[in-house]
Structure formats: structure tokens, C-alpha cells
Amino acid sequence: MKIENLYGRQLVCPKIDNNLGESRSAFQDGICQRCNQKIVAPLPNDAFYCRACLTLGRVSSLDNLVSLPEPNHFSGKVTLSWTGTLTHQQQKVSEDLLITLALHREHLVWAVTGAGKTEMLFPLIYRALQQKLRVGIVAPRVDVIVELSPRLHAAFAQTDMVTLYGEQTDCYRYTQLVLATTHQLLKFREAFDVLIIDEVDSFPFAGNDMLTHAVNNAVKVCHTMVYLTATPTRQLRKRINKGLPVSYLPLRFHQHLLPEIQLARLNKWRKKLPKKFQKQLSHLVESNKRFLIFVPKVADLKPVHDTINRWFPKMRGDFVHANDKRRQEKVKSMRNEEVQYLVTTTILERGVTFPGINVIILGADDEMFTENALVQIAGRVGRKSDCPTGLVLAYVEHVTLKVKAAQRQIIRLNRLGEKLRESM
Amino acid sequence: MRHRALYQYNDVMKHYMQQYKFNGDYLLKGVFNHDLIQLIDNIDKDIVVPIPVSHYTMQTRGFNQVVGMLDGQTLSDILSIAASKKDHQSQFGRRERMNRQQPFALNVSSQLIVGQRILLVDDVYTTGNTMYHAANLLYQAGAKTVKSISLAR
Ligand SMILES: [Zn+2]
């Protein structure tokens, strides 16, 4: 192994092997030193292993964690190959972020879905790379990382970067820019001068002690941390009140308001999808519109897809869920317009952009859809400037407080956006 | 030599082995315990012998995957992995070396093996090379019969 592959990493090495780098015991008082959890299972001969972070490769009491300090061996040569321009509001946020970098602070960007968060980051990333700082961009969900990756490659064409998630980890190289799922941070130790956490409110990061540890462990003592979200959790909102610096961006980059959630009743849809629903779909089908149908449970996917297929046999569609082996492939065929619709669980609630998309939510009153999830789902619609509106239709059996709250959240954001527009 | 396997080495089994043996999730040892012991009960034998793992594997994986799966079954730990003779090996090609080299050694005196009906157990049966060498060694030591089973083939 190349010695540089240990810079800022913490890798598992059997104690019996000669370890390169600085090694420490993988457990202390039964607490896993990689993930900070105490969930162990026994091995023969009084050995044991950690079950909490097992998916990243096993850590056992027979192992050491080896690491080397991050030396910032980077050239500082960087070109920003992105040629777009920031809107006035995006510009303001990106300036806030440059100040954050200079002061090594924490900062939250609260920007509505479709505000163009990624572009706002470019000046920050550009300056950090120039300063030979190591930059990590992470998100809890794979889809978000997969979508970010090509955009960063395009924007920083000359900068070497790796994208780490799930099974992809064997392609690790020592690079100045790292894109990864938050889980992958468990393999880093005091690596990043700048860490950007996208979709910071989204499952499974929110309130997860293991991932909180991973984040804190992966940054250097002196660091800059940027959180991005369209729908901050209550916990984050509390931190804002206690003084966490924040930039608001209530308006989408194309200056149009967010599509609001329309409510409609649909009773006993699981038993038999009503004619009312078929009628709604046929409007979309006749005008050749593309759409996503969100359902609460994996078990709902196939029946809904089958029924639509029976109603509209000529239209091509598919269904997808979190553990779907062909998940990336299906999302791609939707993006390439090979299929007209996808039936999906909440996994596509965020991070994905399909131009000209409409969304329908079945069972929006189901507990699977939180207030923030509904706002995120609505946020899939109207993201492109040439197609800034679209349908967001939530079907419920009962109108719940949660559904109402999601509706209100969007109306409130739009009020702020309108004010901002008028002031320009 | 007669060999019996409980299951085909298909994708599901591959996935199981990946999790249990290679990712080392020892808690999964019990999944096929009942099936394996039932098969063993139905075979005439005097002693049941697991295919051993090396000292290095015990220090890294931390367990013998066969022993793990046979929890509750009396096992005779009479085989071990022979220390490799590196200088001697280098004069043969890799393939030849695989065929010639006896990877196992006896843990006990051959007097204890004479006349015994032995059942060898492994996790996955692939080329048959492993079982061939183990059986060979046991026959040389005077075993009456040597049969073999594995979880998958
Ligand atoms: Zn752990």
C-alpha cells in the first residue's frame, strides 16, 4: 500500500501484520475506536468485533487502527472550469462562506430546494483548494453523492477527486477533494480542513450518534464546517437560535416560487386504485408529462406499478426502492427519458433532478412521510428555469396536521421569496 | 471419495459466505447449524473432523468457519495446517505445487486414527483438492474410511 493512502485515514489492520503508520488498539473499554459504539459480538478465544460499523469491513479486538497525519501534500494549482454565473442571492451566500472559511467557523446554508446550492459552494471550494486545504463533501444518501460527483468533476476539471460510497471504496486514492457518504467518514481521522455536509437533515444522519462521531473525527482540530439543508430539523433550528451563523436563500435560482402542495382525498387506495386516480394520471399521460409517484412502503410499489401498466400499457415506467440492486440504473433511465414515470419510496425525495417532472404522493398521510419529506418531495418539481412549475398532488385518506404543516412551510418560504423578489 | 454437499454454491450462498466468512460476522454461524448436524447424524462415522484454518487466519478472521457452523457437534481437532516450506516450494510451478504439496499435518499420533471411520467437514467444496489431501493423509495414517461433506458445492 502507498504510504499516502494512510494520510488522514484510519484503516483496519490485523495486529499480527506489520503495520505501517501509527497504530492504536481498535477497542478501548469495549468501545469501538472507529465508530464510538459499544455494540460488540463475541469471537472464539475472548476476542470480539464491532457490529455497529460492520458494513464498512469488520473491526475486531484482533485489529489495530492505523493512521498517518494529513500533511496537505497538494499543489494548490486549481482552475474553476465552471462558466455559469451566480444570481445576486447566491453570490451573497457564497461570500458568507468565504468569510466562514477565513474564520474557520461553522455555517449553515438554509436554501430552498432548487436554489442552486452546489454552485454557491464553488467559490468556497476554489479558494480552499488554492490554499492547499483538504476538502470533503459528504451527504447521508448515496443518490445525492452520485448526482454531485459529475458536477464537481465538471467544475474542477483539473482537480483529482475520489467518490466513495458503499462498495466503491476500493478505489480510494489520496486526493485533495473527496466526495463520500457520511458513513465513509468512519474511515477518516483528522483529514479535512473543510467539510461540507449536504442534506444535513436527512436520514440516516439526523440524530445518529455514530455518524456524528464520524464527522467530528474526520475533521482536523482547526476546521471549517458547512451544513446545507432545505429543511432543517428542529435541532438545527435550535442551534440557529443559539448563534449558529446562517445564510438564508428562500428563492430558487430561476427566481420562481416553490410549487405548492395540492391536497386531494383518495380512500382505500391500497385495496383498489380508484378511477379518480386513473383520471388524474390520464391528464399527465395525454400531455406526455413525466412524473414520479411516491408511495409509503416498498410493498406498495409493484401493485401500483402493475395497475398503471394495465391502465396505460403503451407508457413505459418502472419502480425503485432503497435496496434495489438496479437502483442507479433505473434512476438513470428516468433521467435519460427512457421511461416516463417511476413509482418510488422516499429514497428519491431529495438530491435528484428530473427536468419537467410532476409528483403524486399516494398515502401522504402515512407516517413514512414526515413534514420535511413532503417539502423535499414537492421540491423535485419545477427545478429548471425553462420549466419552473408543475404538479405536486398529495393524496390522503385523512388530512393530518403533518400534511398541513408541510403545505404551510412551503407557503411561508414563498412569502419570504416574494419579499426578496420585490426588494430586488 | 464420496462427497455430499447440502446446497449449491449459488448467489445466495455466495452472499452468505461473504458476510460470514470474509466479512467475519461470526453471529451468522448458526444459520445452517441445524441442517449440517442433521446431515452428520445420518452418516456412519466414528469421528467428525473439521478442515482446519491457518494460525494466520485464526489471528485475523478470529475463527474457523467450519467449527463455527458446527456448534454443538463433538469435533476431533486432529488436523492442522502444515507450516509451509518456502525454499522447497520455489522449485515447482504454482500449479504443480498445489497438486503436490500436502497442506495438512496430523495433530495426534496415527495410532488414534487406525481403523477409524472419519467424516471430514468443509464449508465450500470447489476443486476437491482440499478433501483429497486431507483424506490421503488420514488413509496413510490408517483410517478405515474417509467420507466428506460440505455446506455448499
Ligand atoms: Zn465500530
Side-chain angles (χ1 to χ4, degrees):
Chain A
M1 185 178 61
K2 280 191 191 160
I3 198 85
E4 61 177 27
N5 282 0
L6 279 173
Y7 293 160
R9 296 279 274 174
Q10 52 174 6
L11 301 180
V12 181
C13 253
K15 283 179 176 163
I16 191 176
D17 286 353
N18 286 328
N19 293 165
L20 288 165
E22 296 159 14
S23 47
R24 60 197 173 120
S25 199
F27 287 86
Q28 243 162 47
D29 304 321
I31 297 170
C32 172
Q33 296 303 294
R34 180 164 72 176
C35 73
N36 205 36
Q37 306 301 300
K38 201 174 182 174
I39 307 168
V40 297
L43 288 170
N45 307 314
D46 296 325
F48 52 88
Y49 64 102
C50 177
R51 289 210 91 233
C53 61
L54 188 63
T55 51
L56 283 168
R58 194 186 71 172
V59 185
S60 84
S61 56
L62 302 165
D63 297 317
N64 281 325
L65 291 176
V66 297
S67 187
L68 276 176
E70 157 59 50
N72 294 82
H73 280 179
F74 310 116
S75 70
K77 283 189 199 126
V78 50
T79 44
L80 181 58
S81 32
W82 181 66
T83 53
T85 45
L86 296 175
T87 65
H88 180 67
Q89 306 114 24
Q90 285 177 319
Q91 184 74 39
K92 257 195 86 205
V93 175
S94 75
E95 280 162 18
D96 290 347
L97 291 176
L98 290 178
I99 294 168
T100 304
L101 177 67
L103 299 176
H104 308 296
R105 272 200 323 209
E106 278 187 304
H107 195 90
L108 172 70
V109 177
W110 182 351
V112 291
T113 53
K117 279 177 299 179
T118 313
E119 291 75 15
M120 282 185 276
L121 295 172
F122 290 162
L124 166 75
I125 297 168
Y126 179 64
R127 181 155 317 162
L129 293 176
Q130 272 184 325
Q131 292 175 359
K132 302 187 183 182
L133 301 177
R134 200 170 187 195
V135 180
I137 304 171
V138 298
R141 290 176 179 243
V142 177
D143 308 76
V144 178
I145 290 302
V146 169
E147 178 143 321
L148 267 179
S149 176
R151 295 165 74 188
L152 280 154
H153 273 283
F156 298 95
Q158 292 184 340
T159 303
D160 196 15
M161 60 185 93
V162 280
T163 305
L164 309 171
Y165 59 90
E167 322 271 290
Q168 295 269 99
T169 50
D170 47 3
C171 68
Y172 180 81
R173 280 176 294 119
Y174 178 57
T175 57
Q176 190 176 6
L177 190 55
V178 175
L179 267 86
T181 53
T182 38
H183 264 100
Q184 293 295 324
L185 289 180
L186 289 168
K187 293 187 173 176
F188 289 89
R189 179 175 164 85
E190 298 190 8
F192 298 108
D193 304 279
V194 179
L195 188 64
I196 299 163
I197 308 178
D198 199 0
E199 309 277 2
V200 67
D201 58 293
S202 82
F203 169 90
F205 182 68
N208 182 318
D209 177 64
M210 181 164 92
L211 293 179
T212 307
H213 166 82
V215 166
N216 294 332
N217 191 51
V219 291
K220 288 188 185 171
V221 177
C222 176
H223 66 265
T224 303
M225 190 102 87
V226 175
Y227 307 108
L228 306 175
T229 177
T231 46
T233 56
R234 196 174 302 154
Q235 207 184 352
L236 266 173
R237 278 181 254 179
K238 263 190 201 154
R239 287 199 57 199
I240 297 171
N241 293 336
K242 283 185 187 156
L244 174 67
V246 58
S247 304
Y248 295 98
L249 218 171
L251 208 52
R252 291 184 148 182
F253 78 95
H254 55 42
Q255 313 293 307
H256 292 273
L257 299 181
L258 296 168
E260 290 177 8
I261 300 174
Q262 297 177 43
L263 280 185
R265 286 280 181 93
L266 199 65
N267 290 327
K268 303 203 169 113
W269 61 274
R270 271 200 179 99
K271 230 178 200 172
K272 186 172 181 282
L273 278 170
K275 278 273 176 293
K276 188 174 157 188
F277 177 65
Q278 182 178 9
K279 220 172 180 181
Q280 177 62 55
L281 279 189
S282 62
H283 288 312
L284 291 172
V285 176
E286 278 160 23
S287 50
N288 229 347
K289 295 253 172 71
R290 299 159 48 68
F291 56 95
L292 297 172
I293 296 179
F294 286 85
V295 294
K297 298 194 173 95
V298 175
D300 300 323
L301 291 168
K302 200 176 173 325
V304 171
H305 175 256
D306 288 351
T307 307
I308 297 173
N309 211 13
R310 206 175 58 239
W311 287 342
F312 308 100
K314 279 186 195 155
M315 180 171 58
R316 297 197 57 194
D318 213 332
F319 59 96
V320 64
H321 58 90
N323 296 324
D324 195 326
K325 275 191 184 155
R326 293 177 47 234
R327 170 173 164 184
Q328 305 299 350
E329 194 184 315
K330 287 175 177 177
V331 171
K332 209 170 154 195
S333 71
M334 184 69 191
R335 195 166 289 142
N336 298 344
E337 309 201 0
E338 286 155 27
V339 294
Q340 194 172 342
Y341 71 94
L342 279 180
V343 187
T344 175
T345 54
T346 53
I347 54 149
L348 293 187
E349 83 181 34
R350 54 175 83 217
V352 289
T353 300
F354 303 112
I357 202 76
N358 299 274
V359 305
I360 292 174
I361 308 156
L362 284 172
D365 47 342
D366 189 284
E367 59 179 16
M368 282 307 291
F369 296 113
T370 62
E371 175 191 338
N372 280 349
L374 292 171
V375 174
Q376 287 285 356
I377 288 170
R380 295 311 97 206
V381 176
R383 295 173 77 100
K384 294 281 176 205
S385 48
D386 53 358
C387 200
T389 56
L391 177 75
V392 182
L393 180 56
Y395 282 115
V396 293
E397 282 190 64
H398 309 282
V399 179
T400 58
L401 285 176
K402 176 193 73 188
V403 179
K404 279 291 197 194
Q407 259 187 324
R408 268 205 307 272
Q409 194 182 128
I410 290 175
I411 291 168
R412 231 183 3 247
L413 286 166
N414 278 343
R415 240 179 251 149
L416 285 173
E418 250 170 354
K419 245 189 237 161
L420 189 64
R421 249 187 348 197
E422 283 162 13
S423 72
M424 284 187 316
Chain B
M1 193 171 96
R2 228 173 87 83
H3 180 85
R4 282 175 71 182
L6 261 183
Y7 298 101
Q8 245 181 10
Y9 193 58
N10 56 16
D11 282 350
V12 177
M13 195 51 82
K14 224 181 199 162
H15 181 73
Y16 169 74
M17 279 298 162
Q18 185 60 41
Q19 293 308 311
Y20 169 57
K21 181 170 159 182
F22 297 109
N23 205 27
D25 194 359
Y26 192 57
L27 281 189
L28 300 177
K29 67 184 160 67
V31 175
F32 299 106
N33 180 263
H34 177 79
D35 297 352
L36 275 168
I37 288 180
Q38 203 169 42
L39 177 63
I40 289 170
D41 284 347
N42 287 326
I43 294 174
D44 288 331
K45 79 275 160 191
D46 298 312
I47 55 174
V48 180
V49 177
I51 294 295
V53 297
S54 68
H55 173 72
Y56 182 78
T57 298
M58 279 310 281
Q59 290 303 310
T60 50
R61 186 179 299 152
F63 60 90
N64 176 332
Q65 64 278 2
V66 180
V67 175
M69 290 191 295
L70 297 180
D71 208 8
Q73 167 73 46
T74 307
L75 299 175
S76 302
D77 192 14
I78 63 172
L79 290 179
S80 61
I81 302 284
S84 62
K85 301 169 200 128
K86 287 221 166 87
D87 295 340
H88 178 71
Q89 277 179 26
S90 55
Q91 53 187 291
F92 301 106
R94 183 182 142 77
R95 202 196 168 126
E96 221 172 319
R97 204 161 70 218
M98 295 272 285
N99 289 331
R100 284 186 191 203
Q101 197 199 2
Q102 171 57 266
F104 303 114
L106 282 180
N107 271 345
V108 295
S109 116
S110 54
Q111 285 168 334
L112 293 166
I113 294 164
V114 171
Q116 296 282 326
R117 295 169 305 162
I118 296 172
L119 178 63
L120 287 167
V121 190
D122 204 355
D123 51 351
V124 180
Y125 182 98
T126 39
T127 61
N129 224 4
T130 303
M131 290 302 191
Y132 168 79
H133 284 300
N136 219 4
L137 187 68
L138 294 168
Y139 276 126
Q140 277 169 17
K144 187 176 171 202
T145 61
V146 182
K147 292 175 187 166
S148 68
I149 62 163
S150 61
L151 175 66
R153 177 178 189 166

